[in-house]
Amino acid sequence: MRIFTVLGIIFYATVIILIGVSLIIFSLNLLGPQDIKNACDYLQCNTNSRIMLGLSGFLLILISFSFAQLILGRFQREKTIAFNTSSGEVTIALSAVEDLIKRLGKIIPEIKELRPDVIATKKGIMVDLRVVLGSEASIPELTARLQELAKSKIQEVLGIEEQIIVKIHVAKITTFEERDKKKKESDKEEGGSIPYSGYGRA
Amino acid sequence: MHRDETRTELGMIKIHKNVIASIASLASMEIEGVKRVGGDFKSGILELIGKKSNLAVKVDIDRNDEVKLDIPLVIKYEYNIPEIANRVQENVRQALEKMTSLSVRDININIQGIDK
């Protein structure tokens, strides 16, 4: 962990602890409203203390901004895969890799639903796949095929040689009967919802 | 908005950043495998309010009149991304040098999505 991040965490922890301690002191009646008023009066009357207070406020805003930028920048950096070419940098959004994997779901008919989640780490690319399969599918065979397909497709399209780990979670298995039943039910509901729908004009 | 300026005997020639962005956008679209220019959040908002997609291309010109471009792209499915990115970079560089005589420092490609 970088020293700046550690300092930032210590700073925010200190501020939050101070707020917490102040609230506890206030609730225990160790510090009355008059004491707070006196302290505020003292800070307001003295020019030096006002300058110090203003500068501290400005410094706090600066620290907060730089810390937020550091965190957001890191998040943004982790959301892409980047490599350099002679003409500049090429970054690939992880959502683009997710789009690519979603397309694979359409190739294999046994996959009814596919939700990918791609994370780029130092170890390589981690792909988490949440799938809904048809009951006709052989799970070990299909998952192995899907893992191999996802891995080879990512390597082929992105042109990277980093390690790709594909994890599959079978969330649900849908059956033909289940689907037919659902369809029939929905048809029935649609038909039954209209009163006197079976009657025609004579 | 900064413009690239060139002084001639008759006067000044200014090239607007949007012109550079348009050239880069058109040159990118020439490459087979590029679905569209844009695809990031900013260009999505611009498209919603009816602005052209070339505004998605970010153009920076430094003090030495060197151009730096950031091009967000959506690539077609089944195409190799590094290969497409390389071809886009080369085509954009050639088009800009041919049309504006500007020297291009960096052409950063940002792949935002994959589409059919």
Side-chain angles (χ1 to χ4, degrees), chain B residues 8-42:
Chain B
T8 65
E9 285 174 10
L10 296 170
M12 290 268 266
I13 298 169
K14 290 179 183 178
I15 301 169
H16 200 277
K17 270 186 174 183
N18 284 353
V19 176
I20 297 167
S22 291
I23 295 166
S25 179
L26 290 168
S28 303
M29 288 303 293
E30 276 177 2
I31 302 299
E32 199 193 331
V34 175
K35 179 78 179 175
R36 61 174 189 274
V37 176
D40 58 346
F41 181 72
K42 184 189 153 194

Side-chain angles (χ1 to χ4, degrees), chain A residues 10 24 69 86 102 112 143 168 175 177:
Chain A
I10 291 168
I24 290 166
Q69 242 178 358
S86 55
K102 270 182 201 167
K112 304 298 163 206
T143 47
I168 299 178
T175 57
E177 293 85 43

Side-chain angles (χ1 to χ4, degrees), chain B residues 60-74:
Chain B
D60 283 316
I61 302 166
D62 64 12
R63 286 176 186 173
N64 305 323
D65 278 348
E66 282 184 327
V67 180
K68 187 191 155 205
L69 295 165
D70 287 310
I71 310 172
L73 292 179
V74 175

Side-chain angles (χ1 to χ4, degrees), chain A residues 37-58:
Chain A
K37 193 182 173 295
N38 288 343
C40 289
D41 283 343
Y42 172 75
L43 290 172
Q44 194 106 50
C45 291
N46 196 339
T47 319
N48 284 343
S49 61
R50 274 166 61 193
I51 293 167
M52 286 285 282
L53 212 65
L55 284 174
S56 307
F58 188 67

Side-chain angles (χ1 to χ4, degrees), chain A residues 28-155:
Chain A
L28 291 174
N29 230 355
L30 295 171
L31 195 74
Q34 193 58 43
D35 298 324
I36 297 167
K37 193 182 173 295
N38 288 343
C40 289
D41 283 343
Y42 172 75
L43 290 172
Q44 194 106 50
C45 291
N46 196 339
T47 319
N48 284 343
S49 61
R50 274 166 61 193
I51 293 167
M52 286 285 282
L53 212 65
L55 284 174
S56 307
F58 188 67
L59 199 70
L60 280 176
I61 292 168
L62 275 182
I63 291 169
S64 296
F65 266 116
S66 56
F67 199 60
Q69 242 178 358
L70 184 88
I71 294 167
L72 290 174
R74 180 172 297 168
F75 284 148
Q76 218 166 20
R77 245 179 283 141
E78 281 173 359
K79 280 181 183 171
T80 57
I81 301 164
F83 56 89
N84 286 306
T85 63
S86 55
S87 303
E89 194 184 48
V90 179
T91 54
I92 304 164
L94 292 182
S95 57
V97 185
E98 287 172 3
D99 284 348
L100 174 78
I101 298 164
K102 270 182 201 167
R103 300 262 166 213
L104 295 177
K106 287 170 189 170
I107 297 172
I108 306 167
E110 292 96 329
I111 296 172
K112 304 298 163 206
E113 206 181 307
L114 177 66
R115 281 186 199 169
D117 185 26
V118 182
I119 309 158
T121 60
K122 283 174 188 172
K123 287 178 190 171
I125 296 169
M126 307 273 282
V127 182
D128 277 322
L129 300 177
R130 198 180 154 86
V131 289
V132 175
L133 302 176
S135 64
E136 69 274 26
S138 152
I139 294 174
E141 191 192 309
L142 189 85
T143 47
R145 206 171 121 210
L146 183 62
Q147 277 176 321
E148 198 48 51
L149 196 66
K151 199 177 168 182
S152 61
K153 201 74 194 170
I154 292 167
Q155 273 173 340

